[in-house]
């Protein structure tokens, strides 16, 4: 099995690269952001509750996203592996993910972090906002807060995987193809 945590700040290109990676390695893509936006579109109670946090660029409570991941893992028992995109975003989520995988005799193979300069992140998010219509990509204050929340609450997840010798950093600047090439090279070394 190949289980990848695709890590990086908002706008680092995780969603774009995950789409390429699932095709190449035949993996199931689990994006907590996408799942939450689906819940929101369906106007489910979970989606409406999550909206309060998403609109401000804050994190949705750990137990909510951990529960969502558990459901998705159970729904895909025959998967060759998973790409976790936008999850885990806190050390508590990382610990919970290990526990969930352990129960199924699975584990994370590698955590790859896309490194992108802040100026480029803001440029990519604003550009995406114009196309996707995502409210959290169109407001400069929300974008700034998401990057602040990333630095404060999410970046420490690197230490968690570093301690397990699973952390790898990849340069996330350049073209989509260049970055994809770097990711594949890094993943192929541990596969
Ligand atoms: P994303 O699409 O990954 O940028 O996520 C969009 C928003 O969904 C984030 O700003 C958070 O409000 C929420 N979200 C997504 N994934 C998580 C997570 N793992 N933990 C907490 N909140 C999350």
């Amino acid at each position: 099995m190949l289980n990848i945590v695709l890590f990086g700040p908002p706008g680092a290109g995780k969603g774009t690269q995950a789409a390429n990676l699932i095709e190449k390695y035949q993996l199931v893509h689990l994006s907590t952001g996408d799942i939450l936006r689906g819940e929101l579109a369906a106007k489910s109670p979970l989606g409406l509750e999550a909206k309060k946090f998403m609109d401000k660029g804050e994190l949705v409570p750990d137990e909510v996203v951990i529960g969502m991941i558990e459901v998705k893992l159970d729904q895909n028992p025959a998967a060759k592996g998973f790409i976790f995109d936008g999850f885990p975003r806190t050390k508590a989520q990382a610990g919970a993910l290990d526990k969930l995988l352990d129960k199924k005799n699975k584990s994370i193979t590698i955590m790859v972090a896309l490194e992108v300069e802040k100026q480029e992140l803001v440029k990519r998010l604003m550009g995406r906002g114009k196309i996707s219509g995502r409210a959290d990509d169109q407001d400069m204050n929300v974008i700034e807060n998401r990057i602040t929340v990333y630095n404060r609450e999410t970046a420490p997840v690197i230490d968690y995987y570093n301690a397990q010798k699973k952390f790898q950093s990849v340069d996330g600047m350049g073209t989509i193809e260049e970055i994809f090439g770097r990711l594949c090279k890094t993943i192929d070394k541990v596969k």
Side-chain angles (χ1 to χ4, degrees):
M1 255 199 133
L2 177 61
N3 292 314
I4 303 170
V5 172
L6 189 55
F7 196 79
K14 300 186 295 292
T16 305
Q17 296 299 340
N20 291 333
L21 291 168
I22 52 164
E23 210 176 300
K24 178 169 161 105
Y25 297 103
Q26 298 292 299
L27 305 172
V28 173
H29 182 196
L30 295 187
S31 154
T32 40
D34 285 351
I35 302 169
L36 287 167
R37 279 183 291 278
E39 295 282 343
L40 194 52
K43 296 201 166 57
S44 72
L46 190 156
L48 294 174
E49 179 59 23
K51 183 178 179 344
K52 296 180 200 157
F53 299 92
M54 296 167 81
D55 279 353
K56 288 185 278 187
E58 295 290 332
L59 295 184
V60 171
D62 285 337
E63 56 276 17
V64 174
V65 284
I66 292 164
M68 285 175 2
I69 287 287
E70 184 167 18
V71 170
K72 292 287 171 185
L73 289 176
D74 288 342
Q75 282 173 349
N76 291 280
K80 284 188 185 172
F82 295 91
I83 294 201
F84 298 93
D85 160 6
F87 179 91
R89 257 179 160 96
T90 61
K91 280 192 177 179
Q93 291 179 20
L97 177 59
D98 271 352
K99 282 212 188 91
L100 286 177
L101 291 173
D102 199 45
K103 269 200 280 182
K104 299 176 192 300
N105 283 320
K106 298 179 169 108
S107 63
I108 293 298
T109 316
I110 184 173
M111 185 262 221
V112 238
L114 289 167
E115 309 286 346
V116 178
E117 289 159 17
K118 184 179 170 193
Q119 217 186 351
E120 175 70 12
L121 295 176
V122 174
K123 198 177 104 190
R124 289 185 192 174
L125 290 170
M126 294 296 272
R128 184 172 72 186
K130 284 189 195 122
I131 300 163
S132 71
R134 266 179 68 171
D136 60 349
D137 285 344
Q138 295 184 41
D139 182 316
M140 204 48 216
N141 290 328
V142 177
I143 289 179
E144 283 285 347
N145 193 41
R146 285 160 68 200
I147 296 173
T148 304
V149 167
Y150 170 82
N151 288 327
R152 188 181 63 220
E153 296 179 49
T154 304
V157 172
I158 289 175
D159 302 334
Y160 182 91
Y161 288 102
N162 211 6
Q164 296 186 3
K165 306 219 177 332
K166 290 179 179 172
F167 163 70
Q168 293 288 334
S169 158
V170 163
D171 180 3
M173 301 287 288
T175 67
I176 292 174
E177 293 72 26
E178 282 165 352
I179 301 162
F180 183 58
R182 288 179 207 134
L183 281 171
C184 294
K185 224 168 122 183
T186 307
I187 292 166
D188 287 341
K189 276 190 206 145
V190 296
K191 196 160 75 81

